[in-house]
Amino acid sequence: CGEDNVITVWADNSDDPSYPPGKPQDALDFAYFGGIYRDCWMIVHNKVFITDPNYENETAGGGLFVSFDKVSEQSAQLKLDAHIRNTSRKSFGGKILYELYDRDDKRVLSKEAGLSVSKGLAKQISCKVTVETPHLWSPDSPYLYKLHIYIKDKAGNTIDGYYRRIGIRSIEFKGKDGFWLNGKPYPYPLMGANRHQDFAVIGNALPNSLHWRDAKKLRDAGMRVIRNAHYPQDPAFMDACDELGLFVIVNTPGWQFWNDQPIFAQRVYSDIRNMVRRDRNHPCILAWELSINEIRMPEEFIDRAVAIGHEEYPGQTYIAGWMKYGYDIYIEARQHRKEALYSKPLIVSEYGDWEYFAMNAGFEQERWSDMLPEERSSRQARGSGEVRLLQQATNVQEAHNDNLSTHAFADGYWAMFDYSRGLLPDLELSGASDVFRLPKYAAWFFRSQRDADEGTPFSEPMVFIASEWKPGISRGVRIFSNCEEVELTLDGCSLGRRTPDTNTMSNRLPHPPFSFAASCEKPGTLT
């Protein structure tokens, strides 16, 4: 008392094969940089307080756990579990109070329960409440309530408390009937992307505002589901996905590395528990991906990982993995596709990268036999020029069109943003946008696949001219749009009016591109 206190934290991210991801950082396809690069909080509380779930290490317990049952437009049942610890020298008696507020700060309900905790002990308190005519959370209506929790003593004094945002929703996979949200079949495709948090110059140490901005850009591009490849991402990003309406597949850290020493699996199990406990109250959670990416794992490990996922989130939850064995959801990378798996839900998790589909900008399907491999690649910098950016967009289009022939309920492009790597000094350039988040042509293709009139956020008519109109380079003009017809003009003179392309790369797309046989003999303004 009355003196300075020093808190010392020692952070060590030295290469260690016993800690996932295990692979040396200079061999990873993504880079973790040193130090503590996310928000840290020092929480000061009284001697009776609501605990932290990971500190307490209680299976499906600790802290506040909000889950749902019997969700419909008429009513929804909320199960509220709170873990209270008493560190004082005497028993505590009082009550726990919940208050739920809507978006307009109107109180929807209030629920209290008696609370008695012996000295030096902790107690889990459970209760159920029913919300009448709830506003249900969905990607297209991401409605969030505020749930306040208070610990009060017998005199009515607030001893501890806080609030968090929650979304009321239910998800279910019904085999051939597909994906159901809030008791109804979901009417739109879950088009998505993988996301690395790395940002130009900053690296991994993004401020919360940039995490929110990334989520907004993903939503603007037409995405409804994001795969956090390949690690749990910042809580600020999860909050933004709750707010903006993005489903999230959360990943345990790991890539192309397995250690047979038992300590490695035990630390993966610990990561799984910590991850589920941290993120379990987010309505954006679609599934927990509890597999080490792109490495064969022992079946006994998979069995235990899946069991832990269901232990930590009892009730309605889904565990995903990239191996066919054991998981509730099979995650299949399109480039690794060998056979469809119809016995469980399927996500096409990575596509559009390195497809080598050499084609002249989609115009008349004329193949460019003289293109070099690096020109055919989907890995193109934003400054690579029209020909290469159109090639990348063509590869993405071909793969997305093919995905729509499968029974997958969701697909995810690899990757939405360029990012830096540990294993190579250059950027990974698969992104539909660059490392500054500036869009390439492929980003506009994704946006064009959203209906203009579906009546949901981020749906509106759009048109993008994917041409720099340069003599000797531009062989026709491709346009990405979700409209029924497009008219193209050059310096005010019409070059024609077209309906969407019809070819084998467009036959399943909601909105195929438009191709114009315009010859670029001189500069001008395309409209």
Side-chain angles (χ1 to χ4, degrees):
C1 294
E3 297 181 1
D4 290 343
N5 294 279
V6 177
I7 298 176
T8 303
V9 178
W10 180 17
D12 182 1
N13 74 330
S14 303
D15 290 339
D16 187 337
S18 68
Y19 282 91
K23 199 170 188 178
Q25 293 192 58
D26 63 2
L28 276 170
D29 189 39
F30 49 92
Y32 292 113
F33 299 107
I36 297 172
Y37 63 89
R38 293 179 179 175
D39 292 339
C40 287
W41 307 94
M42 182 173 70
I43 300 173
V44 180
H45 50 66
N46 291 313
K47 293 184 178 181
V48 177
F49 59 94
I50 306 164
T51 63
D52 175 84
N54 282 317
Y55 182 80
E56 290 294 329
N57 198 24
E58 294 279 344
T59 300
L64 174 66
F65 188 0
V66 183
S67 54
F68 308 95
D69 193 17
K70 301 177 182 178
V71 174
S72 70
E73 293 177 348
Q74 288 72 44
S75 66
Q77 190 176 86
L78 276 63
K79 185 173 183 290
L80 306 170
D81 294 296
H83 193 249
I84 314 300
R85 181 166 290 282
N86 179 9
T87 60
S88 69
R89 296 181 180 180
K90 59 182 180 180
S91 295
F92 176 82
K95 64 182 180 181
I96 183 170
L97 172 65
Y98 294 100
E99 292 182 336
L100 188 67
Y101 292 83
D102 65 13
R103 185 181 287 174
D104 299 320
D105 288 328
K106 178 182 177 181
R107 190 170 68 183
V108 176
L109 62 82
S110 178
K111 174 74 172 181
E112 66 178 49
L115 177 62
S116 176
V117 188
S118 300
K119 61 180 181 180
L121 298 180
K123 179 180 285 188
Q124 189 93 356
I125 306 295
S126 299
C127 69
K128 293 182 179 180
V129 297
T130 299
V131 180
E132 302 294 341
T133 59
H135 297 277
L136 301 180
W137 188 97
S138 75
D140 309 304
S141 180
Y143 195 97
L144 296 176
Y145 289 88
K146 288 182 181 179
L147 177 64
H148 293 251
I149 176 174
Y150 304 97
I151 305 301
K152 293 180 176 289
D153 62 17
K154 291 180 178 179
N157 300 309
T158 299
I159 304 302
D160 194 25
Y162 63 91
Y163 84 87
R164 71 159 294 121
R165 299 186 302 179
I166 66 168
I168 301 174
R169 61 104 178 102
S170 68
I171 59 173
E172 187 176 1
F173 299 100
K174 291 194 172 186
K176 293 182 180 179
D177 292 332
F179 173 59
W180 285 47
L181 176 64
N182 299 325
K184 297 179 179 180
Y186 190 63
Y188 307 113
L190 286 177
M191 184 172 68
N194 293 260
R195 184 244 185 183
H196 273 303
Q197 66 190 3
D198 175 76
F199 196 92
V201 182
I202 300 172
N204 282 317
L206 277 66
N208 294 345
S209 57
L210 279 185
H211 286 293
W212 192 94
R213 186 170 176 262
D214 268 8
K216 178 66 164 58
K217 286 185 174 293
L218 287 158
R219 205 66 180 88
D220 285 343
M223 305 306 179
R224 283 188 171 97
V225 59
I226 302 303
R227 181 171 175 241
N228 284 350
H230 300 286
Y231 43 85
Q233 298 193 6
D234 197 297
F237 182 72
M238 303 299 291
D239 288 340
C241 291
D242 287 343
E243 181 179 338
L244 295 171
L246 280 164
F247 274 123
V248 179
I249 302 167
V250 184
N251 303 58
T252 191
W255 182 72
Q256 292 188 352
F257 180 86
W258 178 260
N259 188 337
D260 286 328
Q261 295 298 316
I263 187 62
F264 183 78
Q266 292 301 322
R267 284 171 172 161
V268 176
Y269 299 151
S270 177
D271 281 348
I272 291 170
R273 293 190 186 277
N274 291 338
M275 179 176 74
V276 176
R277 291 167 186 167
R278 191 197 76 167
D279 290 338
R280 63 194 180 190
N281 291 325
H282 286 284
C284 65
I285 296 294
L286 181 69
W288 311 96
E289 186 175 339
L290 306 185
S291 60
I292 306 300
N293 197 54
E294 295 184 354
I295 193 72
R296 305 297 285 181
M297 300 158 287
E299 290 186 357
E300 57 269 24
F301 166 81
I302 295 174
D303 289 338
R304 187 64 188 130
V306 172
I308 288 172
H310 286 293
E311 286 174 9
E312 290 292 343
Y313 200 112
Q316 189 190 56
T317 194
Y318 292 89
I319 312 302
W322 77 273
M323 287 177 61
K324 297 177 182 178
Y325 174 82
Y327 294 100
D328 304 328
I329 298 173
Y330 175 42
I331 291 183
E332 177 190 62
R334 191 252 189 178
Q335 65 266 31
H336 301 156
R337 182 184 297 165
K338 294 182 179 179
E339 58 180 308
L341 192 69
Y342 290 90
S343 60
K344 60 180 64 178
L346 170 67
I347 300 173
V348 179
S349 62
E350 301 174 10
Y351 69 90
D353 184 25
W354 292 100
E355 290 298 336
Y356 289 108
F357 198 89
M359 186 174 179
N360 175 15
F363 174 63
E364 299 297 334
Q365 298 208 43
E366 174 190 345
R367 293 180 179 274
W368 285 13
S369 59
D370 59 342
M371 289 181 73
L372 299 173
E374 58 267 24
E375 294 172 325
R376 302 176 186 180
S377 169
S378 293
R379 300 190 175 185
Q380 301 294 347
R382 190 173 60 87
S384 294
E386 175 183 328
V387 172
R388 291 194 180 193
L389 291 182
L390 281 173
Q391 182 62 42
Q392 181 196 37
T394 299
N395 294 346
V396 172
Q397 175 185 336
E398 183 272 336
H400 183 62
N401 184 71
D402 178 60
N403 289 344
L404 296 177
S405 70
T406 75
H407 67 288
F409 73 89
D411 66 3
Y413 173 65
W414 184 269
M416 192 60 195
F417 307 121
D418 292 348
Y419 61 93
S420 59
R421 297 179 283 180
L423 78 167
L424 291 173
D426 60 336
L427 291 174
E428 208 283 9
L429 297 173
S430 298
S433 298
D434 69 8
V435 74
F436 290 94
R437 280 41 175 178
L438 298 176
K440 306 175 190 177
Y441 292 173
W444 294 102
F445 165 76
F446 281 119
R447 188 167 183 176
S448 71
Q449 298 311 294
R450 289 289 297 271
D451 291 346
D453 58 355
E454 65 185 25
T456 62
F458 309 103
S459 63
E460 59 183 5
M462 60 79 59
V463 62
F464 176 75
I465 301 172
S467 174
E468 297 177 12
W469 198 243
K470 291 185 176 181
I473 296 176
S474 301
R475 306 186 190 181
V477 178
R478 192 187 314 180
I479 294 174
F480 298 123
S481 176
N482 55 7
C483 297
E484 296 177 359
E485 289 184 314
V486 165
E487 182 178 21
L488 182 66
T489 65
L490 173 61
D491 292 335
C493 297
S494 179
L495 299 179
R497 183 169 178 145
R498 295 291 305 272
T499 55
D501 297 346
T502 55
N503 53 49
T504 56
M505 291 204 314
S506 302
N507 57 351
R508 300 183 186 92
L509 296 178
H511 303 286
F514 299 75
S515 296
F516 285 82
S519 176
C520 183
E521 298 176 354
K522 63 177 182 178
T525 300
L526 294 174
T527 307

